[in-house]
Amino acid sequence: MTASRTRILRRALLATAAAALCLPAMADLTEIKSAGKLRVGIDFGAPFYGYVDEKMKPVGSDVEAAELLAKDLGLTLEIVNTTNSARIPNLLSNKVDLIISSLSITPERQKAVDFSMPYGAIQAAVGAPKSLKLTSIDDLAGKTVAVTRGGPQDKILTERAPQAKVVRFDDESASITAAATGQADIVAITPPIIAAIAKKNPAREFETKFILQSYQLGIAMRKGQPELMKAVNGWIKTNLTNGKLNDIHLKYAGVPIPKEIIDGAK
């Protein structure tokens, strides 16, 4: 073999090795059960989905759903706290097995991860004090709007309201605090969280002004995990049909899971 061909082969082998190192370790259901635990990424800065109560205990609809899933699979739950923008990176780097964290199913995200069937829905809405007149996205031109970095509202405003001045916070708790304390008069977030802002500071008279868009929520996993996908989808169908997931949602959000999501499990 000539020196030139040897160099070419060496480069090819190095490229193959480098590519292999970039691939996350796959942990399908068999491997997860062998480990005896289910690692789930949840953002604790996203009331009502995930947050820490006064006793410093993780609570929320996604937390309780993860607890139920782990129990039904016969596994110990390990919750990994993640920020909104780090949800998918933490999954792809194998820090977690699943993401259950108010993660909406979008074509862009589906390029990187696989999603379960929908287990809930989230609405992107605009909230502001009662005194502000806002009826459509066009009214946001020239106004400062707080969003959670990497969330669906961030994407909507970036694409559809280019004249709005978007201020990005790392998690929903920071967005809530900004709105409740007057750092931001307008926030793009979910209706239950807008209600939480109003409760946190009633004097601001925060209310939902209009709905930007509705998204289906899914449980995210790395690609190439058919066993895990089958188990998670079966679990979602069972617990949407028997009402357990709806009961959890009602407990924290105060409203039921949209009928079309429940009907989709039948």
PDB file of all heavy atoms in Angstrom, residues 131-161:
ATOM      1  N   SER A 131     -55.416  46.936  31.687  1.00  0.00           N
ATOM      2  CA  SER A 131     -55.444  48.294  31.124  1.00  0.00           C
ATOM      3  C   SER A 131     -54.873  48.371  29.706  1.00  0.00           C
ATOM      4  O   SER A 131     -55.157  49.321  28.973  1.00  0.00           O
ATOM      5  CB  SER A 131     -54.652  49.248  32.033  1.00  0.00           C
ATOM      6  OG  SER A 131     -53.314  48.789  32.179  1.00  0.00           O
ATOM      7  N   LEU A 132     -54.074  47.384  29.319  1.00  0.00           N
ATOM      8  CA  LEU A 132     -53.487  47.388  27.980  1.00  0.00           C
ATOM      9  C   LEU A 132     -54.442  46.773  26.970  1.00  0.00           C
ATOM     10  O   LEU A 132     -54.985  45.689  27.191  1.00  0.00           O
ATOM     11  CB  LEU A 132     -52.167  46.602  27.960  1.00  0.00           C
ATOM     12  CG  LEU A 132     -50.930  47.292  28.513  1.00  0.00           C
ATOM     13  CD1 LEU A 132     -49.725  46.362  28.401  1.00  0.00           C
ATOM     14  CD2 LEU A 132     -50.640  48.587  27.791  1.00  0.00           C
ATOM     15  N   LYS A 133     -54.644  47.451  25.854  1.00  0.00           N
ATOM     16  CA  LYS A 133     -55.524  46.943  24.811  1.00  0.00           C
ATOM     17  C   LYS A 133     -54.698  46.182  23.778  1.00  0.00           C
ATOM     18  O   LYS A 133     -53.938  46.784  23.003  1.00  0.00           O
ATOM     19  CB  LYS A 133     -56.289  48.079  24.146  1.00  0.00           C
ATOM     20  CG  LYS A 133     -57.315  47.583  23.130  1.00  0.00           C
ATOM     21  CD  LYS A 133     -58.093  48.732  22.515  1.00  0.00           C
ATOM     22  CE  LYS A 133     -59.101  48.218  21.494  1.00  0.00           C
ATOM     23  NZ  LYS A 133     -59.863  49.336  20.859  1.00  0.00           N
ATOM     24  N   LEU A 134     -54.822  44.860  23.797  1.00  0.00           N
ATOM     25  CA  LEU A 134     -54.118  43.994  22.846  1.00  0.00           C
ATOM     26  C   LEU A 134     -55.110  42.951  22.350  1.00  0.00           C
ATOM     27  O   LEU A 134     -55.662  42.195  23.144  1.00  0.00           O
ATOM     28  CB  LEU A 134     -52.929  43.298  23.512  1.00  0.00           C
ATOM     29  CG  LEU A 134     -51.824  44.174  24.112  1.00  0.00           C
ATOM     30  CD1 LEU A 134     -50.872  43.319  24.926  1.00  0.00           C
ATOM     31  CD2 LEU A 134     -51.067  44.910  23.012  1.00  0.00           C
ATOM     32  N   THR A 135     -55.338  42.919  21.050  1.00  0.00           N
ATOM     33  CA  THR A 135     -56.308  41.971  20.507  1.00  0.00           C
ATOM     34  C   THR A 135     -55.725  41.021  19.470  1.00  0.00           C
ATOM     35  O   THR A 135     -56.349  40.013  19.139  1.00  0.00           O
ATOM     36  CB  THR A 135     -57.495  42.718  19.865  1.00  0.00           C
ATOM     37  OG1 THR A 135     -57.000  43.570  18.819  1.00  0.00           O
ATOM     38  CG2 THR A 135     -58.224  43.569  20.907  1.00  0.00           C
ATOM     39  N   SER A 136     -54.539  41.332  18.956  1.00  0.00           N
ATOM     40  CA  SER A 136     -53.936  40.465  17.946  1.00  0.00           C
ATOM     41  C   SER A 136     -52.429  40.646  17.966  1.00  0.00           C
ATOM     42  O   SER A 136     -51.888  41.583  18.585  1.00  0.00           O
ATOM     43  CB  SER A 136     -54.474  40.781  16.550  1.00  0.00           C
ATOM     44  OG  SER A 136     -53.937  42.010  16.077  1.00  0.00           O
ATOM     45  N   ILE A 137     -51.748  39.775  17.244  1.00  0.00           N
ATOM     46  CA  ILE A 137     -50.288  39.823  17.203  1.00  0.00           C
ATOM     47  C   ILE A 137     -49.785  41.119  16.574  1.00  0.00           C
ATOM     48  O   ILE A 137     -48.685  41.585  16.884  1.00  0.00           O
ATOM     49  CB  ILE A 137     -49.739  38.580  16.459  1.00  0.00           C
ATOM     50  CG1 ILE A 137     -48.246  38.394  16.766  1.00  0.00           C
ATOM     51  CG2 ILE A 137     -50.000  38.670  14.962  1.00  0.00           C
ATOM     52  CD1 ILE A 137     -47.714  37.043  16.320  1.00  0.00           C
ATOM     53  N   ASP A 138     -50.603  41.725  15.723  1.00  0.00           N
ATOM     54  CA  ASP A 138     -50.201  43.000  15.097  1.00  0.00           C
ATOM     55  C   ASP A 138     -50.032  44.106  16.135  1.00  0.00           C
ATOM     56  O   ASP A 138     -49.257  45.053  15.923  1.00  0.00           O
ATOM     57  CB  ASP A 138     -51.236  43.427  14.050  1.00  0.00           C
ATOM     58  CG  ASP A 138     -51.295  42.477  12.856  1.00  0.00           C
ATOM     59  OD1 ASP A 138     -50.273  41.810  12.595  1.00  0.00           O
ATOM     60  OD2 ASP A 138     -52.349  42.411  12.201  1.00  0.00           O
ATOM     61  N   ASP A 139     -50.755  43.994  17.248  1.00  0.00           N
ATOM     62  CA  ASP A 139     -50.682  45.020  18.297  1.00  0.00           C
ATOM     63  C   ASP A 139     -49.359  44.980  19.063  1.00  0.00           C
ATOM     64  O   ASP A 139     -49.088  45.877  19.876  1.00  0.00           O
ATOM     65  CB  ASP A 139     -51.837  44.853  19.281  1.00  0.00           C
ATOM     66  CG  ASP A 139     -53.191  45.120  18.634  1.00  0.00           C
ATOM     67  OD1 ASP A 139     -53.245  45.899  17.675  1.00  0.00           O
ATOM     68  OD2 ASP A 139     -54.190  44.532  19.094  1.00  0.00           O
ATOM     69  N   LEU A 140     -48.541  43.954  18.834  1.00  0.00           N
ATOM     70  CA  LEU A 140     -47.269  43.830  19.548  1.00  0.00           C
ATOM     71  C   LEU A 140     -46.135  44.607  18.880  1.00  0.00           C
ATOM     72  O   LEU A 140     -45.043  44.705  19.442  1.00  0.00           O
ATOM     73  CB  LEU A 140     -46.871  42.349  19.651  1.00  0.00           C
ATOM     74  CG  LEU A 140     -47.876  41.437  20.373  1.00  0.00           C
ATOM     75  CD1 LEU A 140     -47.349  40.008  20.399  1.00  0.00           C
ATOM     76  CD2 LEU A 140     -48.150  41.933  21.785  1.00  0.00           C
ATOM     77  N   ALA A 141     -46.367  45.154  17.707  1.00  0.00           N
ATOM     78  CA  ALA A 141     -45.322  45.905  16.998  1.00  0.00           C
ATOM     79  C   ALA A 141     -44.835  47.072  17.849  1.00  0.00           C
ATOM     80  O   ALA A 141     -45.629  47.865  18.357  1.00  0.00           O
ATOM     81  CB  ALA A 141     -45.868  46.417  15.668  1.00  0.00           C
ATOM     82  N   GLY A 142     -43.510  47.129  18.035  1.00  0.00           N
ATOM     83  CA  GLY A 142     -42.907  48.198  18.807  1.00  0.00           C
ATOM     84  C   GLY A 142     -42.976  48.017  20.310  1.00  0.00           C
ATOM     85  O   GLY A 142     -42.424  48.823  21.062  1.00  0.00           O
ATOM     86  N   LYS A 143     -43.630  46.952  20.764  1.00  0.00           N
ATOM     87  CA  LYS A 143     -43.779  46.709  22.208  1.00  0.00           C
ATOM     88  C   LYS A 143     -42.802  45.632  22.681  1.00  0.00           C
ATOM     89  O   LYS A 143     -42.408  44.745  21.922  1.00  0.00           O
ATOM     90  CB  LYS A 143     -45.214  46.300  22.538  1.00  0.00           C
ATOM     91  CG  LYS A 143     -46.237  47.411  22.273  1.00  0.00           C
ATOM     92  CD  LYS A 143     -47.628  46.967  22.665  1.00  0.00           C
ATOM     93  CE  LYS A 143     -48.627  48.116  22.545  1.00  0.00           C
ATOM     94  NZ  LYS A 143     -48.770  48.600  21.157  1.00  0.00           N
ATOM     95  N   THR A 144     -42.415  45.707  23.950  1.00  0.00           N
ATOM     96  CA  THR A 144     -41.512  44.723  24.545  1.00  0.00           C
ATOM     97  C   THR A 144     -42.329  43.546  25.074  1.00  0.00           C
ATOM     98  O   THR A 144     -43.282  43.731  25.838  1.00  0.00           O
ATOM     99  CB  THR A 144     -40.701  45.345  25.694  1.00  0.00           C
ATOM    100  OG1 THR A 144     -39.916  46.422  25.166  1.00  0.00           O
ATOM    101  CG2 THR A 144     -39.767  44.314  26.316  1.00  0.00           C
ATOM    102  N   VAL A 145     -41.941  42.334  24.657  1.00  0.00           N
ATOM    103  CA  VAL A 145     -42.661  41.133  25.051  1.00  0.00           C
ATOM    104  C   VAL A 145     -41.682  40.136  25.664  1.00  0.00           C
ATOM    105  O   VAL A 145     -40.655  39.806  25.059  1.00  0.00           O
ATOM    106  CB  VAL A 145     -43.363  40.468  23.846  1.00  0.00           C
ATOM    107  CG1 VAL A 145     -44.208  39.287  24.311  1.00  0.00           C
ATOM    108  CG2 VAL A 145     -44.221  41.475  23.093  1.00  0.00           C
ATOM    109  N   ALA A 146     -41.978  39.664  26.866  1.00  0.00           N
ATOM    110  CA  ALA A 146     -41.137  38.676  27.544  1.00  0.00           C
ATOM    111  C   ALA A 146     -41.543  37.274  27.111  1.00  0.00           C
ATOM    112  O   ALA A 146     -42.734  36.962  27.034  1.00  0.00           O
ATOM    113  CB  ALA A 146     -41.253  38.814  29.055  1.00  0.00           C
ATOM    114  N   VAL A 147     -40.550  36.428  26.828  1.00  0.00           N
ATOM    115  CA  VAL A 147     -40.801  35.029  26.475  1.00  0.00           C
ATOM    116  C   VAL A 147     -39.782  34.146  27.192  1.00  0.00           C
ATOM    117  O   VAL A 147     -38.766  34.629  27.690  1.00  0.00           O
ATOM    118  CB  VAL A 147     -40.691  34.780  24.948  1.00  0.00           C
ATOM    119  CG1 VAL A 147     -41.683  35.645  24.183  1.00  0.00           C
ATOM    120  CG2 VAL A 147     -39.270  35.018  24.450  1.00  0.00           C
ATOM    121  N   THR A 148     -40.072  32.847  27.208  1.00  0.00           N
ATOM    122  CA  THR A 148     -39.111  31.875  27.710  1.00  0.00           C
ATOM    123  C   THR A 148     -38.249  31.422  26.540  1.00  0.00           C
ATOM    124  O   THR A 148     -38.770  30.998  25.511  1.00  0.00           O
ATOM    125  CB  THR A 148     -39.816  30.669  28.338  1.00  0.00           C
ATOM    126  OG1 THR A 148     -40.655  31.139  29.405  1.00  0.00           O
ATOM    127  CG2 THR A 148     -38.808  29.674  28.907  1.00  0.00           C
ATOM    128  N   ARG A 149     -36.949  31.536  26.722  1.00  0.00           N
ATOM    129  CA  ARG A 149     -36.019  31.228  25.637  1.00  0.00           C
ATOM    130  C   ARG A 149     -36.224  29.808  25.106  1.00  0.00           C
ATOM    131  O   ARG A 149     -36.260  28.841  25.866  1.00  0.00           O
ATOM    132  CB  ARG A 149     -34.577  31.365  26.144  1.00  0.00           C
ATOM    133  CG  ARG A 149     -33.504  31.300  25.053  1.00  0.00           C
ATOM    134  CD  ARG A 149     -32.112  31.312  25.675  1.00  0.00           C
ATOM    135  NE  ARG A 149     -31.946  32.412  26.615  1.00  0.00           N
ATOM    136  CZ  ARG A 149     -31.642  33.663  26.256  1.00  0.00           C
ATOM    137  NH1 ARG A 149     -31.472  33.956  24.992  1.00  0.00           N
ATOM    138  NH2 ARG A 149     -31.501  34.601  27.185  1.00  0.00           N
ATOM    139  N   GLY A 150     -36.357  29.670  23.791  1.00  0.00           N
ATOM    140  CA  GLY A 150     -36.474  28.363  23.166  1.00  0.00           C
ATOM    141  C   GLY A 150     -37.864  27.774  23.159  1.00  0.00           C
ATOM    142  O   GLY A 150     -38.083  26.719  22.579  1.00  0.00           O
ATOM    143  N   GLY A 151     -38.820  28.444  23.794  1.00  0.00           N
ATOM    144  CA  GLY A 151     -40.184  27.936  23.836  1.00  0.00           C
ATOM    145  C   GLY A 151     -40.945  28.258  22.558  1.00  0.00           C
ATOM    146  O   GLY A 151     -40.479  29.021  21.707  1.00  0.00           O
ATOM    147  N   PRO A 152     -42.141  27.700  22.397  1.00  0.00           N
ATOM    148  CA  PRO A 152     -42.920  27.949  21.183  1.00  0.00           C
ATOM    149  C   PRO A 152     -43.281  29.414  20.983  1.00  0.00           C
ATOM    150  O   PRO A 152     -43.327  29.907  19.858  1.00  0.00           O
ATOM    151  CB  PRO A 152     -44.173  27.083  21.377  1.00  0.00           C
ATOM    152  CG  PRO A 152     -44.249  26.798  22.836  1.00  0.00           C
ATOM    153  CD  PRO A 152     -42.829  26.758  23.305  1.00  0.00           C
ATOM    154  N   GLN A 153     -43.509  30.133  22.093  1.00  0.00           N
ATOM    155  CA  GLN A 153     -43.848  31.544  21.970  1.00  0.00           C
ATOM    156  C   GLN A 153     -42.678  32.341  21.395  1.00  0.00           C
ATOM    157  O   GLN A 153     -42.864  33.289  20.627  1.00  0.00           O
ATOM    158  CB  GLN A 153     -44.255  32.117  23.333  1.00  0.00           C
ATOM    159  CG  GLN A 153     -45.509  31.496  23.911  1.00  0.00           C
ATOM    160  CD  GLN A 153     -45.243  30.239  24.725  1.00  0.00           C
ATOM    161  OE1 GLN A 153     -44.148  29.684  24.697  1.00  0.00           O
ATOM    162  NE2 GLN A 153     -46.237  29.773  25.455  1.00  0.00           N
ATOM    163  N   ASP A 154     -41.460  31.963  21.784  1.00  0.00           N
ATOM    164  CA  ASP A 154     -40.257  32.600  21.257  1.00  0.00           C
ATOM    165  C   ASP A 154     -40.228  32.462  19.734  1.00  0.00           C
ATOM    166  O   ASP A 154     -40.002  33.429  18.997  1.00  0.00           O
ATOM    167  CB  ASP A 154     -39.023  31.945  21.891  1.00  0.00           C
ATOM    168  CG  ASP A 154     -37.717  32.662  21.559  1.00  0.00           C
ATOM    169  OD1 ASP A 154     -37.725  33.579  20.720  1.00  0.00           O
ATOM    170  OD2 ASP A 154     -36.682  32.284  22.130  1.00  0.00           O
ATOM    171  N   LYS A 155     -40.476  31.259  19.254  1.00  0.00           N
ATOM    172  CA  LYS A 155     -40.456  30.988  17.814  1.00  0.00           C
ATOM    173  C   LYS A 155     -41.557  31.753  17.076  1.00  0.00           C
ATOM    174  O   LYS A 155     -41.325  32.340  16.014  1.00  0.00           O
ATOM    175  CB  LYS A 155     -40.609  29.483  17.580  1.00  0.00           C
ATOM    176  CG  LYS A 155     -40.585  29.065  16.117  1.00  0.00           C
ATOM    177  CD  LYS A 155     -40.679  27.554  15.992  1.00  0.00           C
ATOM    178  CE  LYS A 155     -40.817  27.104  14.539  1.00  0.00           C
ATOM    179  NZ  LYS A 155     -39.683  27.508  13.709  1.00  0.00           N
ATOM    180  N   ILE A 156     -42.763  31.756  17.654  1.00  0.00           N
ATOM    181  CA  ILE A 156     -43.891  32.435  17.008  1.00  0.00           C
ATOM    182  C   ILE A 156     -43.602  33.920  16.845  1.00  0.00           C
ATOM    183  O   ILE A 156     -43.791  34.496  15.766  1.00  0.00           O
ATOM    184  CB  ILE A 156     -45.183  32.230  17.814  1.00  0.00           C
ATOM    185  CG1 ILE A 156     -45.640  30.778  17.740  1.00  0.00           C
ATOM    186  CG2 ILE A 156     -46.299  33.140  17.291  1.00  0.00           C
ATOM    187  CD1 ILE A 156     -46.776  30.454  18.688  1.00  0.00           C
ATOM    188  N   LEU A 157     -43.156  34.551  17.930  1.00  0.00           N
ATOM    189  CA  LEU A 157     -42.931  35.992  17.867  1.00  0.00           C
ATOM    190  C   LEU A 157     -41.764  36.342  16.946  1.00  0.00           C
ATOM    191  O   LEU A 157     -41.802  37.341  16.229  1.00  0.00           O
ATOM    192  CB  LEU A 157     -42.680  36.552  19.264  1.00  0.00           C
ATOM    193  CG  LEU A 157     -43.867  36.512  20.223  1.00  0.00           C
ATOM    194  CD1 LEU A 157     -43.520  37.213  21.524  1.00  0.00           C
ATOM    195  CD2 LEU A 157     -45.106  37.147  19.608  1.00  0.00           C
ATOM    196  N   THR A 158     -40.727  35.504  16.958  1.00  0.00           N
ATOM    197  CA  THR A 158     -39.582  35.749  16.080  1.00  0.00           C
ATOM    198  C   THR A 158     -40.018  35.722  14.621  1.00  0.00           C
ATOM    199  O   THR A 158     -39.571  36.544  13.804  1.00  0.00           O
ATOM    200  CB  THR A 158     -38.490  34.699  16.324  1.00  0.00           C
ATOM    201  OG1 THR A 158     -38.044  34.795  17.682  1.00  0.00           O
ATOM    202  CG2 THR A 158     -37.298  34.925  15.399  1.00  0.00           C
ATOM    203  N   GLU A 159     -40.897  34.775  14.284  1.00  0.00           N
ATOM    204  CA  GLU A 159     -41.317  34.611  12.890  1.00  0.00           C
ATOM    205  C   GLU A 159     -42.469  35.538  12.491  1.00  0.00           C
ATOM    206  O   GLU A 159     -42.492  36.048  11.377  1.00  0.00           O
ATOM    207  CB  GLU A 159     -41.745  33.156  12.657  1.00  0.00           C
ATOM    208  CG  GLU A 159     -40.599  32.154  12.765  1.00  0.00           C
ATOM    209  CD  GLU A 159     -41.055  30.723  12.565  1.00  0.00           C
ATOM    210  OE1 GLU A 159     -42.295  30.489  12.521  1.00  0.00           O
ATOM    211  OE2 GLU A 159     -40.186  29.835  12.458  1.00  0.00           O
ATOM    212  N   ARG A 160     -43.417  35.748  13.404  1.00  0.00           N
ATOM    213  CA  ARG A 160     -44.651  36.438  13.017  1.00  0.00           C
ATOM    214  C   ARG A 160     -44.794  37.852  13.558  1.00  0.00           C
ATOM    215  O   ARG A 160     -45.698  38.589  13.152  1.00  0.00           O
ATOM    216  CB  ARG A 160     -45.857  35.599  13.459  1.00  0.00           C
ATOM    217  CG  ARG A 160     -45.985  34.285  12.678  1.00  0.00           C
ATOM    218  CD  ARG A 160     -46.976  33.314  13.313  1.00  0.00           C
ATOM    219  NE  ARG A 160     -48.238  33.936  13.646  1.00  0.00           N
ATOM    220  CZ  ARG A 160     -49.161  33.384  14.437  1.00  0.00           C
ATOM    221  NH1 ARG A 160     -48.930  32.190  14.977  1.00  0.00           N
ATOM    222  NH2 ARG A 160     -50.288  34.005  14.685  1.00  0.00           N
ATOM    223  N   ALA A 161     -43.915  38.234  14.476  1.00  0.00           N
ATOM    224  CA  ALA A 161     -43.968  39.597  15.014  1.00  0.00           C
ATOM    225  C   ALA A 161     -42.571  40.203  15.029  1.00  0.00           C
ATOM    226  O   ALA A 161     -42.030  40.535  16.087  1.00  0.00           O
ATOM    227  CB  ALA A 161     -44.569  39.587  16.415  1.00  0.00           C
TER     228      ALA A 161
END
